[in-house]
């Protein structure tokens, strides 16, 4: 039974580290917005050519 507790404690610590990393990224990193331009070919705009 002690190995099960050690395993669960290790998993809990790893999950806490992952959660802390995700929280830090979401809190401290600010994305830079930019404009995206996508060119669509004319063949996809015409309804008759499927």
């Amino acid at each position: 039974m002690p190995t099960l507790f050690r395993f669960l404690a290790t998993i809990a610590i790893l999950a806490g580290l992952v959660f802390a990393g995700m929280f830090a990224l979401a809190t401290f990193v600010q994305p830079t917005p930019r404009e995206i331009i996508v060119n669509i070919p004319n063949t996809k705009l015409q309804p008759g050519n499927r």
Side-chain angles (χ1 to χ4, degrees):
M1 201 56 121
T3 57
L4 177 63
F5 291 138
R6 188 182 314 163
F7 173 72
L8 291 177
T10 305
I11 295 298
I13 290 171
L14 288 175
L17 288 174
V18 168
F19 180 77
M22 288 175 52
F23 181 78
L25 283 175
T27 304
F28 299 121
V29 176
Q30 296 296 325
T32 56
R34 60 182 181 159
E35 187 174 339
I36 298 175
I37 298 173
V38 178
N39 292 328
I40 302 173
N42 289 335
T43 56
K44 292 198 175 188
L45 293 176
Q46 296 173 353
N49 295 336
R50 286 188 174 203

